[in-house]
Amino acid sequence: MIDIFNSHIVDVLPHKFKSDPEVLALSYAVSTILNKYFHSLSKSMVISGIDNLSEEVLDLRAIELDIPYYTSDMDIETKRKLVKSAIALYKKAGTKASIRAVVQTVLGNGEVIEWDKFNGVPGSFKIVTSGSSDTEALQELTKIIKKIKNASATLIAVERIIDIKAAVYIGGLVQSVTIQSVR
């Protein structure tokens, strides 16, 4: 198999052309131009090359995609996840699935509970998570949800569930008393 990045035209030509200086020069020139082209092309692969992009390029890509919940102070892995998922989220914007995806990206886990599951007002929903305990992250999530939710939907609350593991000891005492009446 021929490696396209390290090959020359002369590699595929018949033997009698391999010693011609003009063919060798042309082969070298075309190879040099193609290598520059392939190098530029690898930098322009925005979707497939997100894992290789620098933080500055990720920030610019987020501006280009107009990701409403992207901030430049996020860690680089969260930025990569958001840029990767931006186009898919735009396809399902305003749906329960898009809100769930944002919750899981920002907090790590969580579920969107619609109004009929908790006897709420029609069109309302709440988010239940056991993810991040950072109050600032929960406030940021609330701002993001307000931007991407359906205009007719209402976010009631973001509830955080905390699992507390503790030993519970129960004790008891039984006492028998006999009451006698004397007359």
Side-chain angles (χ1 to χ4, degrees):
M1 182 184 288
I2 297 174
D3 179 12
I4 194 167
F5 297 105
N6 298 315
S7 64
H8 298 279
I9 293 175
V10 78
D11 294 339
V12 294
L13 292 176
H15 185 64
K16 68 179 183 175
F17 293 114
K18 291 184 179 184
S19 59
D20 186 358
E22 290 177 0
V23 172
L24 288 172
L26 179 65
S27 174
Y28 177 77
V30 169
S31 176
T32 303
I33 291 169
L34 284 177
N35 280 337
K36 286 182 182 180
Y37 173 74
F38 290 143
H39 182 70
S40 297
L41 185 64
S42 69
K43 287 183 178 180
S44 68
M45 293 185 193
V46 183
I47 299 298
S48 63
I50 289 174
D51 291 330
N52 301 325
L53 295 178
S54 67
E55 194 163 357
E56 294 80 23
V57 175
L58 282 172
D59 291 341
L60 292 172
R61 185 69 176 140
I63 292 169
E64 179 185 15
L65 290 171
D66 193 28
I67 302 173
Y69 42 87
Y70 185 98
T71 58
S72 60
D73 59 341
M74 293 176 165
D75 65 284
I76 193 161
E77 288 308 312
T78 304
K79 288 181 178 184
R80 289 186 201 284
K81 286 180 192 175
L82 291 175
V83 172
K84 282 180 185 178
S85 65
I87 293 172
L89 285 176
Y90 277 126
K91 288 181 182 177
K92 50 187 174 176
T95 64
K96 179 180 174 181
S98 67
I99 294 171
R100 183 183 314 118
V102 170
V103 168
Q104 290 177 350
T105 301
V106 175
L107 297 179
N109 67 14
E111 192 58 44
V112 179
I113 311 294
E114 293 185 275
W115 67 274
D116 58 336
K117 303 289 190 248
F118 66 93
N119 297 326
V121 177
S124 64
F125 67 96
K126 66 181 179 178
I127 296 169
V128 179
T129 182
S130 61
S132 176
S133 62
D134 183 16
T135 306
E136 189 175 304
L138 294 174
Q139 290 172 346
E140 183 66 27
L141 177 72
T142 305
K143 287 192 291 187
I144 292 169
I145 297 298
K146 286 180 181 177
K147 290 180 183 178
I148 66 166
K149 71 178 182 57
N150 191 340
S152 64
T154 305
L155 175 62
I156 299 295
V158 177
E159 296 178 359
R160 189 167 42 101
I161 298 172
I162 301 173
D163 289 334
I164 299 175
K165 297 187 186 290
V168 177
Y169 299 99
I170 299 175
L173 172 68
V174 176
Q175 185 175 6
S176 176
V177 176
T178 305
I179 298 178
Q180 294 180 353
S181 319
V182 179
R183 289 190 189 215

